[in-house]
Amino acid sequence: MIEATSCGGVVIFRGKILLLYKNFKNKYEGWVLPKGTVEAGEEYKDTALREVLEESGARASIIKYIGKSEYTFSVPEDTVDKEVHWYLMMADSYYSKPQREEYFVDSGFYKYHEAYHLLKFANEKQILEKAYHEYLDLKKKNLWGSKKYF
């Protein structure tokens, strides 16, 4: 069993959510939230911000820790046990440019119901749901964008 830790973000700008479309060797991989592997000595929140910027080009700030998702998948040599730590983030614009080296061929900001249906993985849908409810709650209290919560 290989253990892996990643961090990512549910990035929101003006109520819309950032998604990335992955297409590897012309094989549909699906729409996903930006995330990536923690580097040695890196704090989780720093990994999340770095990965969002690298994978999408979006500049964002962390508002709040949302939680983690866990899943396993197989690679030829072994089984990977993966843990992903998620943060609610606010982007500074609608700008995004998918990272070609990671096989992202499209990116964009989508309305909640569109993003929810586009996302490929159930665990990312759950994280999106949780993050979006946090976002709506903060917005209702006029706290969205006014301060950081981590």
Side-chain angles (χ1 to χ4, degrees), residues 94-112:
Y94 281 127
Y95 176 80
S96 70
K97 184 176 189 275
Q99 185 184 28
R100 300 283 180 198
E101 302 78 33
E102 292 285 334
Y103 307 103
F104 293 118
V105 295
D106 198 2
S107 63
F109 285 82
Y110 295 88
K111 291 177 183 170
Y112 172 77

Side-chain angles (χ1 to χ4, degrees), residues 22-58:
K22 194 166 199 166
N23 189 329
F24 181 66
K25 294 182 177 171
N26 290 326
K27 180 179 163 285
Y28 168 74
E29 295 275 328
W31 289 92
V32 295
L33 296 168
K35 69 173 182 309
T37 306
V38 178
E39 291 177 359
E42 197 173 40
E43 286 193 35
Y44 289 175
K45 64 180 189 285
D46 296 329
T47 300
L49 289 167
R50 176 180 56 75
E51 287 292 342
V52 164
L53 184 60
E54 283 177 8
E55 291 188 348
S56 72

Side-chain angles (χ1 to χ4, degrees), residues 4-11 18-20 22 29-39 42 44 46-56 67-71 73 82-87 89 99 102 104 119-121 123-125 127:
T5 305
S6 288
C7 298
V10 176
V11 182
L18 175 66
L19 296 185
L20 296 164
K22 194 166 199 166
E29 295 275 328
W31 289 92
V32 295
L33 296 168
K35 69 173 182 309
T37 306
V38 178
E39 291 177 359
E42 197 173 40
Y44 289 175
D46 296 329
T47 300
L49 289 167
R50 176 180 56 75
E51 287 292 342
V52 164
L53 184 60
E54 283 177 8
E55 291 188 348
S56 72
K68 69 178 178 176
S69 55
E70 295 175 89
Y71 56 96
F73 60 94
K82 190 157 196 167
E83 185 176 270
V84 185
H85 295 271
W86 295 100
Y87 293 87
M89 298 183 185
Q99 185 184 28
E102 292 285 334
F104 293 118
L119 280 176
K120 181 179 182 182
F121 301 108
N123 59 353
E124 290 195 2
K125 288 182 182 204
I127 289 295

